[in-house]
């Protein structure tokens, strides 16, 4: 059974009726490419780290081009299509020929999934029935708040009542996962509880809270900090506690990113499972493992249970996947092992990392660790605890094997 992903193109902020106040793409600047895991060895910068990372599309694709693309891909798929996901840089609800697009995809008679929408493009509540009748089975819907005036003010939704009516109808019919960037002082506290209650009563499967980030060390690496000058941010521990408290109040799934999924105990659910960690290979060699501030204590806890030899080194950046060369420059190379492992997805050009981390005259080898060591809340939203643990076991086993193979004795 094949899964078909349909990219409709579009630009964040432009092809979604203007920037939401909190949108990270609002101030994205034309920064030079960072380098990444896809760059060829001889060149810093590839399509991924120079274009895709900033969701740099030229606009929505023409429906005819989408149809041609879908047709060509269908011919290459030997199996029946089991699920169709609509994705893109713009917001599907704002796609100019949205009904035609849905009709086209519905004709394939596979369940449809809208990977992300703010709902800002839904002006007619009747679109909900059309979507259900067309086979929409799952949607991720950014709610922000169920108070129309807040959607209008902060998302610039011109018809918030209609968008919420669509959300309400979909909650009762299909799998709805709501998303909410939590802006302290605006949609948190009682307003957030009201949003959760509204969603639960109407049948949403879950809500994922996204902590508002406003600083480079919180992950705004595209020259886009601050998103809202002077707006307060929640520190990680406070955010995690808020997610925990809300998850206890509601039956639907409540999780948060960058931390955490209380139902599963992730990211790094493995840290609380010593019996499973005991089944990982033992550490036999030494290496420095660089990671972000949030992941460091978890990785340290798991690797230290595997034996001695792994030195976990946090940088200032909170999110490991968003580490750049500036984070590596702030480390003291003299304190590092001859083998340095950086996060698999770090936005770093490997050769540049080697130069920076060997600038004390001692040559060091830089290697990338597994693509991911855990599942963040967006990934774990549709997963069982066992699946997350299996993913983490495999990733940590790969990491230990990498250290044992290339590390120093
Ligand atoms: S809908 Fe999403 S992509 Fe568009 S401006 Fe709002 S947050 Fe940004």
């Amino acid at each position: 059974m094949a899964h078909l992903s349909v990219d409709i193109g579009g630009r964040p902020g432009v092809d979604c009726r203007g920037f939401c106040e909190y949108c990270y793409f609002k101030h994205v600047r034309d920064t030079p490419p960072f380098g990444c895991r896809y760059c060829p060895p001889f060149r810093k910068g590839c399509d991924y780290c120079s274009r895709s990372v900033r969701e740099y599309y030229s606009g929505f694709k023409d429906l005819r081009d989408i149809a041609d693309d879908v047709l060509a891909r269908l011919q290459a798929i030997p199996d029946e299509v089991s699920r169709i996901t609509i994705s893109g840089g713009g917001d599907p609800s704002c796609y100019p020929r949205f009904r035609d697009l849905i009709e086209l995809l519905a004709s394939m008679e596979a369940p449809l999934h809208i990977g992300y929408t703010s709902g800002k493009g839904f002006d007619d509540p009747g679109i909900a029935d059309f979507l259900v009748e067309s086979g929409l089975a799952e949607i991720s819907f950014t709610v922000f708040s169920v108070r129309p005036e807040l959607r209008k003010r902060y998302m610039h939704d011109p018809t918030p009542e209609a968008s919420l009516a669509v959300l309400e109808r979909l909650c009762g019919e299909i799998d709805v996962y709501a998303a909410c960037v939590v802006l302290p002082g605006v949609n948190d506290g009682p307003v957030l509880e009201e949003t959760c209650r509204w969603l639960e009563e109407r049948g949403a499967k879950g809500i994922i809270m996204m902590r508002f980030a406003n600083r480079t060390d919180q992950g705004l690496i595209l020259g886009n900090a601050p998103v809202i000058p002077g707006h307060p941010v929640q520190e990680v521990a406070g955010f995690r506690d808020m997610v925990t408290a809300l998850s206890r109040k509601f039956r639907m799934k409540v999780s948060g990113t960058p931390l955490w999924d209380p139902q599963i105990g992730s990211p790094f659910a493995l840290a609380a499972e010593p019996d499973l960690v005991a089944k990982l290979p033992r550490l036999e060699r030494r290496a420095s493992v660089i990671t972000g501030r949030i992941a460091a204590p978890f990785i340290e806890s798991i690797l230290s249970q595997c034996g001695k030899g792994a030195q976990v080194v946090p940088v200032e950046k909170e999110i490991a996947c968003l580490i750049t060369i500036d984070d590596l420059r702030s480390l003291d190379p003299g304190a590092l092992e001859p083998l340095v492992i950086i996060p698999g997805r770090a936005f770093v050009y490997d050769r540049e990392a080697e130069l920076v981390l060997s600038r004390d005259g001692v040559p060091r080898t830089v290697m990338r660790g597994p693509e991911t060591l855990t599942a963040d809340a967006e990934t774990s939203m549709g997963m069982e605890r066992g699946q997350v643990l299996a993913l983490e076991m495999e990733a940590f086993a790969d990491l230990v094997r990498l250290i044992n193979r290339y590390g120093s004795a």
Side-chain angles (χ1 to χ4, degrees):
M1 298 292 250
H3 180 179
L4 190 72
S5 182
V6 178
D7 182 352
I8 60 171
R11 293 150 295 180
V14 181
D15 294 313
C16 42
R17 292 188 152 177
F19 282 109
C20 299
E21 291 291 311
Y22 53 80
C23 181
Y24 299 142
F25 293 100
K26 197 161 62 169
H27 300 138
V28 167
R29 285 201 231 127
D30 234 351
T31 43
F34 295 108
C36 70
R37 63 192 189 282
Y38 300 119
C39 290
F42 49 85
R43 183 163 50 89
K44 176 181 172 182
C46 62
D47 192 57
Y48 181 72
C49 63
S50 48
R51 287 169 56 86
S52 301
V53 66
R54 60 200 81 216
E55 305 217 10
Y56 193 92
Y57 298 88
S58 47
F60 278 130
K61 295 181 185 171
D62 194 69
L63 185 62
R64 202 187 179 87
D65 294 336
I66 296 174
D68 288 349
D69 182 47
V70 166
L71 203 66
R73 296 205 0 249
L74 276 180
Q75 280 164 358
I77 297 175
D79 302 331
E80 214 175 297
V81 176
S82 60
R83 174 182 162 103
I84 301 168
T85 300
I86 304 171
S87 66
D91 184 327
S93 73
C94 303
Y95 188 74
R97 294 179 64 190
F98 182 69
R99 279 180 183 261
D100 293 340
L101 171 76
I102 296 296
E103 268 167 12
L104 168 82
L105 300 176
S107 66
M108 283 184 265
E109 295 181 351
L112 296 179
H113 171 202
I114 295 182
Y116 165 80
T117 184
S118 68
K120 285 199 274 182
F122 296 143
D123 295 335
D124 166 17
I127 197 92
D129 286 328
F130 166 73
L131 285 168
V132 173
E133 281 154 21
S134 303
L136 185 70
E138 187 180 321
I139 191 166
S140 296
F141 199 116
T142 292
V143 57
F144 189 70
S145 168
V146 290
R147 295 188 181 176
E149 68 277 14
L150 288 183
R151 275 186 67 93
K152 194 167 209 143
R153 161 83 178 78
Y154 288 91
M155 295 178 73
H156 305 293
D157 182 350
T159 53
E161 288 86 0
S163 310
L164 289 168
V166 172
L167 175 60
E168 179 166 16
R169 175 91 175 94
L170 293 179
C171 279
E173 292 289 337
I174 64 165
D175 290 350
V176 172
Y177 294 98
C180 179
V181 174
V182 182
L183 263 189
V186 175
N187 64 343
D188 59 346
V191 183
L192 190 53
E193 277 194 38
E194 178 189 335
T195 299
C196 291
R197 193 166 305 109
W198 188 98
L199 287 164
E200 179 162 282
E201 283 170 4
R202 282 152 184 82
K205 289 269 179 256
I207 180 166
I208 179 163
M209 315 285 175
M210 294 162 161
R211 187 187 59 151
F212 172 63
N214 215 15
R215 304 193 308 249
T216 307
D217 68 303
Q218 293 173 326
L220 301 177
I221 59 172
L222 297 168
N224 49 340
V227 175
I228 307 177
H231 200 94
V233 287
Q234 278 174 291
E235 287 311 315
V236 174
F239 180 80
R240 184 201 52 216
D241 293 347
M242 180 197 77
V243 173
T244 307
L246 285 169
S247 76
R248 290 195 181 126
K249 278 195 177 147
F250 297 97
R251 286 184 317 279
M252 70 173 175
K253 180 156 178 155
V254 178
S255 56
T257 176
L259 276 176
W260 75 303
D261 184 330
Q263 218 176 56
I264 293 182
S266 53
F268 303 104
L270 197 52
E273 295 286 342
D275 293 349
L276 284 177
V277 177
K279 294 183 181 158
L280 288 171
R282 302 293 88 191
L283 275 165
E284 289 157 8
R285 290 182 168 244
R286 295 198 328 269
S288 296
V289 178
I290 292 180
T291 186
R293 225 168 356 123
I294 293 176
F298 295 106
I299 298 177
E300 165 72 37
S301 153
I302 295 169
L303 287 181
S304 64
Q305 293 176 58
C306 297
K308 291 201 181 83
Q311 175 203 26
V312 178
V313 183
V315 295
E316 266 307 294
K317 185 76 44 65
E318 289 182 341
I319 317 284
C321 301
L322 297 172
I323 285 176
T324 65
I325 197 71
D326 288 339
D327 296 303
L328 301 188
R329 278 198 191 101
S330 67
L331 296 174
D332 170 15
L336 300 174
E337 298 283 349
L339 173 66
V340 182
I341 297 176
I342 59 172
R345 293 183 187 162
F347 281 107
V348 170
Y349 180 48
D350 296 22
R351 283 165 86 174
E352 194 176 10
E354 257 169 17
L355 289 177
V356 165
L357 298 179
S358 307
R359 67 184 189 280
D360 58 345
V362 179
R364 291 186 179 81
T365 306
V366 172
M367 298 183 104
R368 283 181 188 265
E371 164 148 353
T372 178
L373 290 172
T374 185
D376 67 359
E378 280 174 273
T379 314
S380 70
M381 184 53 102
M383 290 170 89
E384 301 286 336
R385 186 161 197 268
Q387 292 173 298
V388 172
L389 284 169
L391 179 156
E392 293 181 356
M393 281 292 282
E394 201 179 317
F396 273 90
D398 286 347
L399 178 61
V400 173
R401 280 193 285 265
L402 188 69
I403 297 171
N404 288 347
R405 181 147 184 215
Y406 298 102
S408 45

